[in-house]
Amino acid sequence: MLAGGQARRFGEDKAMALYRGRRLIDWSLAALEPYAELLLVSGHEHPKHLVVADLPEAGLGPLGGLAGALSIAANRGFSHLLSVPCDTPHIPPALLAELASSEEACYAESCPIIGCWPTDLAPALIAYLANGMPRAVRRWAAHVGATAIGGYPEIENINHSADLAALAQRNG
């Protein structure tokens, strides 16, 4: 789970923001639980889960968090990593199930950091970032030939506090 953003647009620690009485980080962790043997949190302290540092260094955005998580997962013998950000509290479970069942690199068309990534991609992602390549997840996904998975409703992510307020108003 990726929770290392600086929340410049949001204005405070987004992962800790409350939505319907629950922290955003906890919505994402709960979404992952049915599909994961081990939950990793990249970029944010969490008392119940292993915290992962960005690779090859901090400050590289979601791909740095993904590289760190892929490396830890690979070192622990996992073949794939399912990734989600902390700012998408309503990820369709069917999408996560489809991603989790994939053997190939794939991602949600409407939110590319939600994806399934073979852990053997860790060295390639670290090298990609170390060489100053574009830090956009879609660019990385294209670089490794990942498949976009569509056919699901647009996944709302929260970038501003007004986004969170609007989501709360729509979903009670």
Side-chain angles (χ1 to χ4, degrees):
M1 203 272 309
L2 301 169
Q6 295 178 3
R8 286 185 199 117
R9 294 175 287 180
F10 194 76
E12 61 183 276
D13 186 350
K14 191 184 331 183
M16 302 306 283
L18 292 179
Y19 168 64
R20 294 174 52 193
R22 188 188 211 179
R23 298 177 309 170
L24 287 175
I25 194 170
D26 294 324
W27 281 91
S28 295
L29 288 166
L32 282 173
E33 279 180 344
Y35 310 101
E37 294 177 43
L38 174 68
L39 295 174
L40 305 172
V41 177
S42 176
H44 203 286
E45 293 297 319
H46 197 281
K48 295 181 182 177
H49 303 291
L50 181 62
V51 177
V52 176
D54 291 2
L55 290 176
E57 62 188 53
L60 296 175
L63 286 177
L66 182 60
L70 282 169
S71 293
I72 293 290
N75 289 339
R76 290 182 173 242
F78 293 98
S79 63
H80 289 76
L81 177 89
L82 188 62
S83 64
V84 301
C86 74
D87 60 0
T88 55
H90 296 293
I91 303 170
L95 170 61
L96 289 175
E98 183 175 351
L99 292 168
S101 68
S102 178
E103 293 296 319
E104 304 296 325
C106 57
Y107 62 93
E109 187 173 52
S110 67
C111 186
I113 198 58
I114 299 172
C116 181
W117 311 98
T119 58
D120 62 7
L121 290 174
L125 179 52
I126 292 167
Y128 178 91
L129 291 167
N131 289 324
M133 299 298 285
R135 292 185 284 161
V137 178
R138 284 187 202 281
R139 295 283 297 270
W140 161 250
H143 181 77
V144 297
T147 302
I149 304 296
Y152 293 93
E154 184 77 19
I155 297 168
E156 296 179 277
N157 79 320
I158 297 163
N159 290 313
H160 303 90
S161 58
D163 298 338
L164 182 59
L167 186 63
Q169 186 173 22
R170 283 192 303 276
N171 293 302

